[in-house]
Amino acid sequence: MEATNTKSSYLVQVFELGSPATSSSTASLPKLPSPDRGKDAWLFLCGCFIVEAFSILIRNHFCWHWGRRSCHSTGHELGIAQIWGEDCIADMGSVIGECSVPQALRIMLILGKVVLTAPPLYFVKSRIPASLQNKPAWNQRINLSFLRQPIFWFMEIGNVFQGIGLFIPIVFLPTFASSIGLSETASSLTLSLLNAASVIGQILLGALTDKYAVTNIILISTLSSTLSIFLVWGFSTSMAPLYVFSLLYGLFAGGFSSCWAAMISEIRHKDPTIDPGLAFGLLSVGRGVGCVICGSLSTLLLKYGEGGWGDVGAYGTGFGLLIVFTGVTALLAGMPGVGRALGLY
């Protein structure tokens, strides 16, 4: 980690402290402005984006420099972040019950960024020798030669498909559970189990990319996710199999993003001139495109699948078509592994 990264992290926190969560303009508002209007909402999103970008690039800097040996850090960070995120969500509810949303955001921001994050940054030292650091000039032309590599497009397209289907179970599992007669508590538990398994999946898949080819790990993730969707969720009409699906899907699909750093390292074997930050950004864009497509398509699939899609298990419910679509997208997310197996790159 370069010394400038520590300074940048302090700047990020200063920026975030000036975002709407701490802005006096929100002091009189009972809730945050809608995300599609108002400068405060957009400033808040920009602050979150900058924090996320810096934290990801600083961590992956080690992986891209030292190779796959340290790519397990991706899984560790994502797993810990998910645990912390779930705790924050639970705590945020009780905090909001005692004060307004802007005040709750200020409290969580001060606790997370000022108290827990800022002090340790003082002890962060540069680990990569200055002679080995790559410091391109600001006016250097962006190198897009990696876009001509088939391996990048196999991984990007697979990533888009994974993004399309990934969040469907996360969004609709509680609703589906309620539709088959489970109580509100039992329905909510499906999502809790999925999130808990995702923590393990992120750490596990991230560690496996250090020892095995990332394309093989992608195949394990996508094929296991596909089978869990078609064979477990598709035939779930009671609590037990639905809980089993939540665990399996969280374990194998929830950890897919832990493979990103290793995916970029794999691309670098084909094109050493690649800018890792740019490649990571494009993978993030691909995931974002998939999520946008998911929102529109899932609504349509529910609308046109109201009569059921088949007569067996969950396929016979209004979620049948949605389950099939989720399974197909999970299967298509394995394109990087298929491309490698067929010798296409």
Side-chain angles (χ1 to χ4, degrees), residues 128-182:
I128 299 177
S131 60
L132 298 179
Q133 293 178 8
N134 182 22
K135 299 179 180 179
W138 286 103
N139 60 350
Q140 180 176 323
R141 179 177 297 181
I142 297 177
N143 187 353
L144 299 177
S145 61
F146 68 93
L147 295 178
R148 297 193 293 268
Q149 298 292 337
I151 183 175
F152 170 79
W153 290 109
F154 270 94
M155 292 187 173
E156 179 70 292
I157 295 173
N159 186 55
V160 172
F161 280 117
Q162 209 269 343
I164 292 175
L166 173 65
F167 295 101
I168 291 178
I170 296 174
V171 173
F172 291 103
L173 261 185
T175 306
F176 173 79
S178 298
S179 71
I180 61 174
L182 299 188

Side-chain angles (χ1 to χ4, degrees), residues 212-231:
Y212 305 100
V214 65
T215 49
N216 293 337
I217 306 304
I218 290 174
L219 278 179
I220 292 174
S221 171
T222 55
L223 290 178
S224 300
S225 302
T226 302
L227 292 175
S228 70
I229 293 168
F230 284 128
L231 300 182

